[in-house]
Amino acid sequence: MIYNIAIYLYMLGVVIASLFDRKVRKMWRGERDAFRLLREKVDPDARYLWFHAASLGEFEQGRPIMERLRQLHPEYKILLTFFSPSGYEVRKNYEGADIICYLPLDTPFNALRFLRLVRPVMAFFIKYEFWYNYLHILKHRNIPVYSVSSIFRPEQIFFRWYARRYARVLRCFTHFYVQNETSRQLLEKIGITAVTVSGDTRFDRVLHIKDQSKHLDIVESFVRNASHVFVAGSSWEPDEQIFIPYFNGKEGWKMVIAPHVIGEEHLRQIASMSQGKVVRYSQTTIQEAADADVLIIDCFGLLSSIYHYGDVAYVGGGFGVGIHNVLEAAVWGIPVLFGPNNKRFAEAQDLLECGGGYEIDGAEHFQAIMNRFISYPSHLDNAGRAAADYVKGKSGATELILSDLSLD
């Protein structure tokens, strides 16, 4: 079969690439080690719910369901698998799952061996995960399989005339919980009707993050004497070259910058571009932060809570490979600005439409939008309210999905 030939060729490519790339080497070693880990940790008397996420973003989409199932059905154990090191390495110690490992590559032998070890009673594949051999064996064994927060587009291979045979893999799913009506209609055109438009579980996740947000003494001291605060999250150099000059010497405004890359050279570059007193989060005190003009966040894990202190947010990546998470900012009821590479991100497009988000194409455009916010406070308030209403209005996917599941 063409798919299996492609998988074996991909495996050969991974083996070769692992000789030169550290990230690929981690993934290859993790996949090979998965069977040993499963033999050691799988409880033969337990019933497992299996969640598979390609990477960190998909994990965040599956997380609300995992945590609610853990709460509602503690009699089940949870197996969480990743494909990418960027997911596994960050979440390998996640306490919400009983076993966490890489998913061995989707060869017929690996799929059989994996499922014989785990024997899940239910499986959840998050967003874009469609592994042919795993899915066919699950279907053959009558194990319910759900696609969560999936989204489909006309250009995907499933809807091409030449890929009708491969598209049969979608019939292995018990039910699809898709993000939008377009996805439902596309699936219906190829005869798949077990579909519910549930929305995206990420909205539930960011609302939960907001409820669990941290109070950060240094940040609170920093913003205390500011009239307004600008928070830049996951910024890259092209982003920083746009917003930092605007706020240099801007009376009444303070700036928090949480760069995507936390490296010494990059941090020094940000500081050199900024005027006034600049402090780093890990190196300052509450007293020093109070007198600073710019606070650089030089550690991970704080950004979602830091947006709480902002009046305007900027989310980076839009002048590169694509914008980062805009929902973590929007949930706090502040307008979100971002660069032009946002077309593939439905939540960014929705924020633009509802007035809670703004695309900027350069320094002059950024200046014009900020000047309008400053000159017309009501415009700033309305934009923030639109962002918050958008996130709240899109929540509820987790409970809708859970209400459909049948667990003994």
Side-chain angles (χ1 to χ4, degrees):
M1 179 184 173
I2 295 175
Y3 175 85
N4 287 328
I5 293 172
I7 284 291
Y8 284 113
L9 289 174
Y10 176 81
M11 181 186 295
L12 177 61
V14 168
V15 173
I16 296 171
S18 68
L19 300 174
F20 308 98
D21 188 288
R22 184 168 173 265
K23 182 177 178 181
V24 176
R25 189 157 54 249
K26 278 187 176 181
M27 180 181 74
W28 179 237
R29 288 175 178 171
E31 288 181 4
R32 287 183 298 165
D33 197 47
F35 289 115
R36 178 196 60 78
L37 188 148
L38 290 170
R39 284 195 303 269
E40 292 176 357
K41 293 193 173 184
V42 168
D43 179 352
D45 297 321
R47 292 182 294 173
Y48 283 92
L49 304 176
W50 172 28
F51 284 81
H52 177 64
S55 191
L56 191 59
E58 289 79 7
F59 163 78
E60 291 296 332
Q61 288 175 295
R63 183 172 180 170
I65 299 174
M66 276 188 279
E67 294 182 350
R68 285 290 286 141
L69 284 173
R70 166 86 81 191
Q71 181 183 24
L72 295 172
H73 296 280
E75 68 273 19
Y76 290 89
K77 290 193 174 185
I78 291 178
L79 166 67
L80 171 62
T81 59
F82 287 99
F83 181 74
S84 167
S86 60
Y88 176 78
E89 294 299 329
V90 175
R91 293 301 180 189
K92 60 186 176 184
N93 297 316
Y94 170 60
E95 295 181 354
D98 298 281
I99 303 174
I100 303 173
C101 66
Y102 281 94
L103 180 67
L105 204 59
D106 187 30
T107 66
F109 177 73
N110 281 349
L112 277 169
R113 188 180 177 193
F114 179 92
L115 292 169
R116 282 172 181 166
L117 278 169
V118 178
R119 295 176 295 106
V121 297
M122 191 174 286
F124 298 85
F125 283 55
I126 312 301
K127 198 173 182 178
Y128 290 132
E129 294 302 277
F130 308 105
W131 295 108
Y132 188 93
N133 291 307
Y134 283 104
L135 287 168
H136 275 85
I137 296 170
L138 287 165
K139 182 176 177 61
H140 179 74
R141 296 185 177 185
N142 294 316
I143 297 170
V145 187
Y146 301 97
S147 178
V148 174
S149 290
S150 46
I151 188 166
F152 293 91
R153 299 179 178 88
E155 63 270 18
Q156 285 176 295
I157 189 170
F158 307 112
F159 311 109
R160 303 292 189 180
W161 63 268
Y162 54 81
R164 289 174 183 170
R165 183 177 179 85
Y166 177 69
R168 294 175 189 171
V169 70
L170 300 180
R171 299 184 182 278
C172 294
F173 286 93
T174 306
H175 203 93
F176 287 87
Y177 295 96
V178 298
Q179 293 188 28
N180 55 34
E181 177 64 19
T182 299
S183 298
R184 188 196 68 77
Q185 292 175 0
L186 285 168
L187 291 171
E188 186 177 47
K189 286 181 180 178
I190 59 173
I192 296 174
T193 57
V195 183
T196 299
V197 180
S198 61
D200 192 342
T201 51
R202 282 183 301 173
F203 291 90
D204 300 323
R205 176 63 186 152
V206 295
L207 285 165
H208 179 73
I209 290 173
K210 179 185 176 185
D211 291 340
Q212 302 295 318
S213 64
K214 307 168 186 175
H215 288 281
L216 306 170
D217 292 339
I218 287 175
V219 183
E220 289 184 358
S221 177
F222 173 76
V223 305
R224 190 167 294 129
N225 298 321
S227 299
H228 297 285
V229 177
F230 178 84
V231 177
S234 301
S235 62
W236 296 78
E237 183 181 348
D239 305 303
E240 292 147 8
Q241 290 176 345
I242 289 172
F243 63 75
I244 290 179
Y246 177 83
F247 287 103
N248 282 337
K250 184 69 67 176
E251 186 176 350
W253 282 81
K254 288 192 174 187
M255 182 165 44
V256 182
I257 304 174
H260 184 75
V261 176
I262 300 178
E264 188 60 32
E265 183 178 348
H266 189 198
L267 297 176
R268 283 200 301 265
Q269 183 181 32
I270 293 172
S272 68
M273 293 174 62
S274 305
Q275 296 178 4
K277 182 178 179 181
V278 181
V279 295
R280 295 189 191 181
Y281 184 88
S282 69
Q283 299 176 0
T284 193
T285 65
I286 291 175
Q287 292 74 24
E288 290 174 341
D291 299 325
D293 302 292
V294 179
L295 174 62
I296 301 174
I297 308 301
D298 56 353
C299 53
F300 294 108
L302 302 179
L303 181 57
S304 59
S305 296
I306 288 172
Y307 283 126
H308 167 53
Y309 300 99
D311 296 286
V312 178
Y314 182 98
V315 174
F319 290 91
V321 295
I323 58 172
H324 297 284
N325 191 339
V326 296
L327 296 181
E328 287 186 346
V331 72
W332 289 105
I334 56 177
V336 186
L337 281 62
F338 40 80
N341 192 354
N342 60 70
K343 305 302 184 290
R344 295 181 294 109
F345 303 87
E347 60 276 11
Q349 296 300 299
D350 289 344
L351 282 170
L352 290 173
E353 184 176 347
C354 76
Y358 294 80
E359 176 185 307
I360 59 109
D361 57 19
E364 290 186 7
H365 195 187
F366 176 81
Q367 179 180 340
I369 292 172
M370 286 304 307
N371 286 345
R372 187 177 181 189
F373 284 152
I374 293 171
S375 300
Y376 303 98
S378 61
H379 183 67
L380 177 63
D381 293 340
N382 290 338
R385 191 176 303 110
D389 289 346
Y390 165 68
V391 176
K392 187 176 181 180
K394 290 284 188 175
S395 64
T398 300
E399 293 304 320
L400 189 156
I401 293 168
L402 290 173
S403 68
D404 270 4
L405 300 181
S406 297
L407 286 169
D408 298 329

